[in-house]
Amino acid sequence: MLLKRLILSLKSKRDGGSYWSPLFSKKFLEVLDAYLMLLPFFIIFGIFAVYSFFYAFYISFHKFNLLSSPEFVGLSNYVKLFKDPEYTGYAIPNTLKYTITVVSIQTFLSLVLAFILDQNIKFRSFFRTLYYLPSVTSSVVISLIFIWLFSRVGAINSILGLNIDWLNNPKTALWTISTVNIWSTTGTMILIFLAGLQDIPVSVYESASIDGANRWDIFWKITLPLLKPVILFVVVMGTIGCFQVFDQIYLMTRGGPLNSTLTMAYYVYDKAFGRGLEPQMGLASAAAFILGIVIFIFTLIQRRLLEGRE
Amino acid sequence: MRKFWRFIFYFFLILWGIIAATPFWISLVYSLMPKEAIFNMPPKLFPNPFTLDNYKTVLFAFKDYFPKWLMNSFILSIFVAIFRTLFCAMGGYAFARLNFPLKNAIFSVILFSMMIPGQVFIVPNYIILSKLRLVNQLPGVVLPSLVTVFGIFFMRQFFKSIPKELEESAFIDGANRWQILFKIVLPVSIPGLSALALLNFQGTWNEFMWPLIVLQTPEKFTLPLGLSWFKNEYYSLYSYVLAGSIFNALPIVILFFLFQRYIMKSIAFTGIMG
């Protein structure tokens, strides 16, 4: 039926469009065209987002190892999750530590650098491009480069005159990954701050300097308050990103050493697809939903902030 | 006082510039040095002795690996850059210009779905793919994201910024909506389409988690996946890993420089979208 209509519509295209308008009302044609244009979206989104979402929810109440058929277990995956010392003792605190470190430092750094870039700076677009370079590079390349730089005989130890096995030491591994991610995402945040700074009208600064305010006053009393919504936005966006950190963890430490870099997002992968374990799809889905709820809350906050901004 | 601040400002700008660029530069330098020199420290700033051996080896000696991974990545990224962009443009146009039943309800579902993180979908989508027999197949990597809500949203916003009058006169002249979309709207939307196509290319080219779950044997890997696998198998050959990494980073850096203006705009937009 649908195919027939598609053929018909193609035919009508050849004939200049008015071919079947006497047969169908204009309104019907519009609806048909709209649904046909959305057909690829309906198929993909229907299967891999809508159906998939409910399927994930269903699996989270079942015991499922991919081989035998799912067995209903009620809430026990969720109970098991919060009784798992790996989850409550490592995944959650590590994710929080990581998120707080990365978000606070990257927000501070990018705010300062964007403020400087917004001044009357020569080569501004050169610096902007340079800063953005890490953000367009794949997480794999960045991780591989930093594994090498942070290895025991690598460049970082050589420059600092130290002998630390950064990524294989439970005391340093999480901080090392945090450092790498601050390095790679600060560029994006600079661009967002810069866009926010350029939205502030020049007249605001002019009248302030006529009133005798110096640079320092202008920054603290004018720029910062006007930039508050953008700052909140960057913080929330950074938080959402940090909660989902996976690539760098998988590539650099796989959650080790001694679970010191196990995060909530890596936990999901590890339970479902980790090596040498029976897949625990139910437990993984439960962990994914918990992560989803946390991120959902932050996204709601972000939406609110955006509405406030518009 | 003014001079003092200018000095401080340039000092920090240059400092962060060095921090941002040095890891790339050092990697490039060591990828151009013999593989035995990979841990010759302190870090060299120029390749000495200079050699192209690592690149030659990567391209020609590991025939079943790097060239294949590069090819797989190119095929998938170009496919996605074309078809995802096209499908998103079609869907975005329907949402921007046409009226149809359930439009607002569907749009609310789209907005809702944008708040759910990808991790929720990896388990069910893997199971769906395994039922479709697409696990360890390249199409399985791109199928679930062949149309994205972000792309639809992006194109919808873009189309809304185009004046309606262009289309209305064509509509009165008897053109149908497909003709209007393909002959009038898309040609004037090249900036939006290129920005989305670039983001799609970059996203697929750099993607790691989903290919990692779907692909299982080395000959099917994409370049990022292959690099990660190669590093685990041959840790002592880190020069090759670096040379391979350059192949992964370079196309994106080149595209980025060529289309800087489009990308900068779309980043501000993406940033706002979240």
Side-chain angles (χ1 to χ4, degrees):
Chain A
M1 185 62 184
L2 217 48
L3 195 73
K4 214 170 165 186
R5 285 190 177 165
L6 182 71
I7 293 164
L8 268 176
S9 100
L10 288 175
K11 228 182 198 170
S12 80
K13 209 170 138 187
R14 199 180 52 205
D15 299 341
S18 52
Y19 176 74
W20 45 321
S21 23
L23 287 171
F24 299 104
S25 72
K26 262 197 172 150
K27 211 172 169 194
F28 176 80
L29 276 181
E30 183 171 341
V31 171
L32 186 72
D33 281 341
Y35 281 141
L36 283 176
M37 283 177 185
L38 283 165
L39 191 64
F41 168 70
F42 284 149
I43 295 171
I44 300 295
F45 188 75
I47 297 172
F48 293 104
V50 179
Y51 172 74
S52 177
F53 180 77
F54 290 108
Y55 193 24
F57 196 61
Y58 168 88
I59 295 169
S60 77
F61 296 103
H62 289 73
K63 193 175 174 207
F64 187 29
N65 65 359
L66 289 180
L67 300 170
S68 51
S69 55
E71 173 195 336
F72 182 73
V73 292
L75 279 170
S76 79
N77 282 326
Y78 290 91
V79 174
K80 201 170 156 192
L81 183 65
F82 283 101
K83 278 190 178 160
D84 183 357
E86 265 189 24
Y87 195 69
T88 50
Y90 293 100
I92 294 177
N94 285 344
T95 307
L96 291 177
K97 259 191 259 177
Y98 170 81
T99 304
I100 293 169
T101 317
V102 172
V103 171
S104 56
I105 298 177
Q106 88 187 0
T107 308
F108 173 77
L109 268 179
S110 53
L111 178 60
V112 170
L113 287 164
F115 178 75
I116 296 176
L117 270 184
D118 192 44
Q119 308 300 309
N120 188 17
I121 292 289
K122 279 179 193 157
F123 312 113
R124 181 192 292 164
S125 67
F126 167 78
F127 283 118
R128 207 176 53 175
T129 310
L130 194 61
Y131 294 172
Y132 195 59
L133 223 48
S135 306
V136 292
T137 312
S138 75
S139 53
V140 175
V141 168
I142 288 173
S143 302
L144 291 174
I145 290 176
F146 278 94
I147 291 170
W148 170 61
L149 294 178
F150 275 111
S151 68
R152 191 185 276 277
V153 284
I156 306 274
N157 275 336
S158 156
I159 291 167
L160 298 176
L162 295 169
N163 186 24
I164 298 170
D165 204 349
W166 299 92
L167 287 164
N168 289 318
N169 182 336
K171 281 183 187 145
T172 53
L174 191 65
W175 307 119
T176 309
I177 295 179
S178 305
T179 309
V180 173
N181 281 8
I182 291 166
W183 176 83
S184 69
T185 45
T186 296
T188 314
M189 304 305 177
I190 290 177
L191 288 190
I192 294 172
F193 273 130
L194 205 55
L197 284 165
Q198 284 166 351
D199 278 347
I200 300 175
V202 187
S203 57
V204 175
Y205 291 119
E206 279 168 354
S207 55
S209 58
I210 290 166
D211 292 345
N214 63 30
R215 246 175 231 270
W216 204 240
D217 290 337
I218 289 174
F219 179 76
W220 285 105
K221 295 192 179 140
I222 294 169
T223 313
L224 220 48
L226 283 174
L227 215 56
K228 206 175 138 197
V230 187
I231 297 173
L232 286 172
F233 177 75
V234 164
V235 168
V236 177
M237 216 182 89
T239 307
I240 293 170
C242 282
F243 267 98
Q244 296 189 65
V245 65
F246 172 81
D247 295 4
Q248 292 83 349
I249 305 283
Y250 177 91
L251 289 155
M252 298 206 263
T253 58
R254 304 223 172 162
L258 302 172
N259 289 331
S260 63
T261 58
L262 179 68
T263 59
M264 288 165 78
Y266 189 78
Y267 185 93
V268 175
Y269 171 86
D270 198 40
K271 292 302 164 204
F273 307 101
R275 282 182 195 179
L277 286 163
E278 182 179 274
Q280 297 176 274
M281 294 304 187
L283 185 63
S285 290
F289 264 97
I290 297 298
L291 182 64
I293 290 167
V294 175
I295 289 170
F296 187 78
I297 292 168
F298 279 107
T299 321
L300 275 183
I301 300 172
Q302 181 199 30
R303 282 278 141 84
R304 276 283 153 81
L305 295 174
L306 269 180
E307 279 156 18
R309 218 179 131 193
E310 272 162 8
Chain B
M1 194 62 185
R2 258 191 109 79
K3 268 198 172 157
F4 169 75
W5 280 111
R6 289 208 79 75
F7 175 77
I8 295 282
F9 284 170
Y10 280 103
F11 174 78
F12 280 112
L13 286 182
I14 291 165
L15 182 67
W16 188 257
I18 291 171
I19 293 173
T22 310
F24 291 121
W25 180 250
I26 297 187
S27 308
L28 185 66
V29 168
Y30 277 79
S31 75
L32 292 167
M33 280 163 49
K35 65 178 192 293
E36 296 75 23
I38 188 73
F39 284 113
N40 276 2
M41 294 294 153
K44 312 276 178 295
L45 290 178
F46 297 97
N48 180 29
F50 176 88
T51 170
L52 283 172
D53 281 353
N54 298 321
Y55 289 88
K56 278 183 205 151
T57 315
V58 158
L59 279 182
F60 303 112
F62 292 98
K63 235 182 284 168
D64 291 334
Y65 298 156
F66 290 94
K68 225 169 209 163
W69 300 336
L70 207 56
M71 199 44 125
N72 290 343
S73 274
F74 255 114
I75 292 169
L76 287 184
S77 307
I78 288 181
F79 181 84
V80 168
I82 295 170
F83 286 97
R84 192 195 280 168
T85 310
L86 177 71
F87 291 148
C88 289
M90 281 162 52
Y93 183 74
F95 274 111
R97 287 289 198 263
L98 305 183
N99 281 312
F100 51 93
L102 295 177
K103 184 175 173 179
N104 291 332
I106 297 169
F107 203 69
S108 310
V109 175
I110 289 186
L111 288 182
F112 177 78
S113 77
M114 286 170 89
M115 300 187 206
I116 306 169
Q119 271 85 6
V120 171
F121 301 105
I122 58 174
V123 167
N125 282 354
Y126 176 82
I127 297 170
I128 294 168
L129 278 193
S130 70
K131 284 185 181 151
L132 295 172
R133 300 188 182 282
L134 284 174
V135 168
N136 203 25
Q137 305 289 337
L138 287 179
V141 177
V142 293
L143 188 66
S145 56
L146 196 54
V147 189
T148 59
V149 286
F150 168 76
I152 293 215
F153 203 93
F154 184 97
M155 287 318 297
R156 171 183 175 265
Q157 299 303 96
F158 192 87
F159 291 141
K160 284 201 155 194
S161 69
I162 301 174
K164 262 187 184 162
E165 288 74 26
L166 262 176
E167 296 156 61
E168 271 160 7
S169 58
F171 198 64
I172 289 163
D173 290 344
N176 71 27
R177 296 193 198 270
W178 292 88
Q179 290 169 321
I180 292 174
L181 174 62
F182 281 98
K183 291 192 181 151
I184 297 170
V185 176
L186 293 189
V188 298
S189 304
I190 298 292
L193 289 171
S194 343
L196 185 61
L198 263 165
L199 288 177
N200 286 338
F201 183 91
Q202 186 206 355
T204 310
W205 184 259
N206 286 349
E207 196 181 10
F208 182 69
M209 185 171 76
W210 187 240
L212 171 75
I213 290 166
V214 176
L215 303 174
Q216 290 158 350
T217 47
E219 81 276 5
K220 294 279 170 64
F221 286 170
T222 58
L223 187 56
L225 203 53
L227 286 169
S228 144
W229 176 84
F230 188 86
K231 184 221 77 178
N232 290 330
E233 297 291 308
Y234 305 94
Y235 189 81
S236 56
L237 301 176
Y238 221 92
S239 302
Y240 300 157
V241 175
L242 291 181
S245 296
I246 303 293
F247 282 110
N248 189 222
L250 210 59
I252 295 296
V253 171
I254 292 172
L255 279 177
F256 176 66
F257 272 102
L258 287 178
F259 296 95
Q260 220 193 119
R261 216 195 292 163
Y262 290 147
I263 297 188
M264 288 294 179
K265 265 188 207 153
S266 61
I267 287 147
F269 186 75
T270 323
I272 287 162
M273 297 267 318

